[in-house]
Amino acid sequence: GGVGSRGTTTRRPWEEEQGSVAEGEPWSRVRYEAVKKHFRAVGALSRQYWQYLACKVWKEGCEEEEEEKEEEEESSHSPGWSLPLVGQDYLEILSAWYCSFGKCCKTGDCRIVNNITGLEADLNGQLHGQHLAKEVVVRAVQGFLQSPRPEKALVLSFHGWSGTGKNFVARMVASHLYQDGLKSECVRVFISLFHFPHHMYVDSYKAQLKKQISETVQLCKQSLFIFDEAEKLHFGLLDAIKPFMARTDNKDQVDYRRSIFLFLSNLGGNAINEVALDFWRAGRAREEISMELLEQQLRLELQEPEENGYARSHLLEENLIDFFVPFLPLEYHHVKLCARDAFLARGLPYTEAALDEVARMMVFVPKEEKLFSAQGCKSVSQRINYFLP
């Protein structure tokens, strides 16, 4: 036993119950039994903790256990619960911690994080040369999520050349709205030529697509649907999913108004690039390019009678797309920033000379000015392999 401030021996709980033993005296049988009794109590408490946690996570068989536990409590009260431990609050925290790693809920909504602050910070730090896309995506998503009763699903259409960041932003939106990112049960990604390659099977694709969207929304009220290469989607597929994006009176049991649809397309890239080139030739900064100007140009190009799903579907005609998000062509210094990010992501050292060499490997257009990267930043991460030993 420890010695108190006045030289008195500090008693342990079991000593108070069984009586003190002289200092230095070997443990008596009485003290041993007392200690064993309290360890049993702690063990009983641990088992109750585990039983409660297991029932919070795995529901099966818990009703019988609860009834048995109630009968036991009526007959005899375990001393374990009288110990000064955290108790029920601790168990709630522990079960919540477990659920952060596993799937503990019937719907995927428990894994939604909606980290708009993180989304904005990462877009500012990692998306280069896209001042319009940063602003529109953050404001549109934030406003939509903050609305208590949205009238319809949020529909964003990303447009621009390949490699300008459309897929990058879509992945970033998924990772900041859902804890599991693209792997979340609430997120579905469709790639036109991969998931819907043959136009002869459009009717079958329609049924499958509508079923997948309905099942996802039933599982997660806030769902995210990403359609890559949207311009290659058959117009019949776009019209088939139109009801999920339109305003509704919610007579159906399934409410689609909390869903987000992202369409990624190379359409409109030429119109966007022409505007950016005109600003450069006029000596004006690309940051002066306004959303109003580009959105008008995009609508005109998308409505041209070409063989694309957008022009032939009713998405434009019925104004179901809330925002056309333009992605500007990337210049030489933007490619260098992408190269720097690629080096840092792999933990590799870099020099300005190395960044310049990566940028010079890219093809720049038009022929006279050589201003914009024809591939954007799409192959930058592969090109840094050239610098590995």
Side-chain angles (χ1 to χ4, degrees):
V3 179
S5 60
R6 296 188 180 182
T8 57
T9 302
T10 304
R11 289 189 171 189
R12 302 292 184 261
W14 53 82
E15 292 176 340
E16 294 176 0
E17 293 177 9
Q18 304 297 337
S20 61
V21 179
E23 187 175 349
E25 180 182 330
W27 274 33
S28 66
R29 182 70 183 176
V30 175
R31 177 183 289 186
Y32 172 76
E33 291 296 334
V35 172
K36 188 166 71 170
K37 172 185 174 184
H38 281 270
F39 274 125
R40 271 200 226 100
V42 173
L45 178 62
S46 299
R47 284 193 297 274
Q48 285 179 291
Y49 273 164
W50 171 249
Q51 180 183 1
Y52 180 85
L53 175 61
C55 286
K56 290 283 288 183
V57 178
W58 303 286
K59 307 291 185 183
E60 295 81 1
C62 289
E63 295 178 358
E64 294 83 357
E65 293 178 4
E66 287 291 333
E67 292 175 359
E68 292 176 4
K69 187 173 75 172
E70 289 175 1
E71 292 175 0
E72 290 176 3
E73 289 177 351
E74 290 175 1
S75 59
S76 63
H77 295 282
S78 171
W81 287 107
S82 65
L83 293 177
L85 296 180
V86 181
Q88 200 82 357
D89 291 339
Y90 174 75
L91 293 171
E92 295 291 347
I93 295 171
L94 187 59
S95 61
W97 170 81
Y98 178 88
C99 286
S100 69
F101 295 95
K103 299 176 181 177
C104 300
C105 51
K106 296 180 181 179
T107 71
D109 292 329
C110 65
R111 308 281 289 173
I112 295 175
V113 292
N114 289 344
N115 182 10
I116 299 298
T117 302
L119 174 62
E120 184 175 12
D122 282 352
L123 286 176
N124 287 329
Q126 301 177 38
L127 182 64
H128 306 300
Q130 305 298 350
H131 67 285
L132 293 174
K134 291 177 186 178
E135 180 181 2
V136 174
V137 169
V138 171
R139 287 193 177 185
V141 174
Q142 185 176 29
F144 176 73
L145 295 179
Q146 290 178 346
S147 174
R149 295 179 181 176
E151 294 182 355
K152 62 182 289 294
L154 176 64
V155 184
L156 304 180
S157 192
F158 295 175
H159 297 273
W161 267 6
S162 178
T164 52
K166 300 185 299 294
N167 276 282
F168 180 74
V169 173
R171 290 196 302 270
M172 198 172 286
V173 169
S175 65
H176 284 87
L177 297 191
Y178 305 93
Q179 191 165 343
D180 302 315
L182 292 177
K183 295 181 180 179
S184 170
E185 294 178 334
C186 305
V187 179
R188 290 289 179 269
V189 180
F190 302 99
I191 304 172
S192 298
L193 295 182
F194 179 77
H195 291 98
F196 318 109
H198 306 294
H199 287 181
M200 66 183 72
Y201 302 124
V202 168
D203 291 337
S204 176
Y205 294 154
K206 285 182 184 179
Q208 293 175 10
L209 183 57
K210 289 193 287 188
K211 180 182 178 183
Q212 286 181 309
I213 292 177
S214 297
E215 290 177 348
T216 304
V217 175
Q218 288 176 15
L219 183 66
C220 308
K221 292 180 181 178
Q222 180 188 305
S223 300
L224 174 63
F225 303 99
I226 302 172
F227 292 86
D228 196 6
E229 300 177 339
E231 75 278 2
K232 298 173 184 176
L233 282 171
H234 191 277
F235 69 92
L237 289 174
L238 289 171
D239 285 341
I241 62 176
K242 183 185 66 173
F244 301 113
M245 296 178 281
R247 288 173 175 79
T248 175
D249 54 7
N250 196 28
K251 289 182 179 179
D252 193 357
Q253 292 182 350
V254 182
D255 189 357
Y256 302 98
R257 293 176 295 181
R258 276 287 173 197
S259 303
I260 301 175
F261 290 81
L262 302 182
F263 293 96
L264 284 53
S265 173
N266 292 339
L267 282 177
N270 292 334
I272 295 170
N273 295 353
E274 286 295 328
V275 172
L277 185 59
D278 290 341
F279 268 68
W280 181 83
R281 286 172 175 168
R284 301 175 64 183
R286 62 192 280 138
E287 287 73 21
E288 295 180 33
I289 300 175
S290 68
M291 187 66 192
E292 292 77 16
L293 175 61
L294 279 183
E295 189 169 20
Q296 182 181 5
Q297 296 292 329
L298 276 173
R299 285 183 177 274
L300 290 174
E301 182 165 330
L302 294 177
Q303 290 173 348
E304 291 181 1
E306 297 180 359
E307 284 298 316
N308 66 74
Y310 268 61
R312 300 177 62 187
S313 73
H314 292 85
L315 296 186
L316 299 177
E317 180 182 327
E318 299 184 19
N319 295 314
L320 296 180
I321 298 176
D322 299 300
F323 295 95
F324 292 92
V325 185
F327 284 75
L328 300 171
L330 299 182
E331 300 175 10
Y332 184 88
H333 65 282
H334 298 133
V335 176
K336 285 182 64 177
L337 291 173
C338 291
R340 181 205 63 186
D341 292 347
F343 275 107
L344 291 174
R346 298 175 64 171
L348 299 173
Y350 66 89
T351 62
E352 282 296 318
L355 300 183
D356 278 316
E357 191 165 352
V358 172
R360 284 196 295 268
M361 290 180 178
M362 311 299 283
V363 177
F364 288 85
V365 295
K367 291 183 179 180
E368 297 79 14
E369 292 88 352
K370 293 187 177 180
L371 180 61
F372 304 133
S373 171
Q375 301 155 289
C377 285
K378 198 160 193 175
S379 62
V380 164
S381 59
Q382 285 78 23
R383 291 177 186 268
I384 65 173
N385 294 329
Y386 176 80
F387 297 90
L388 299 181

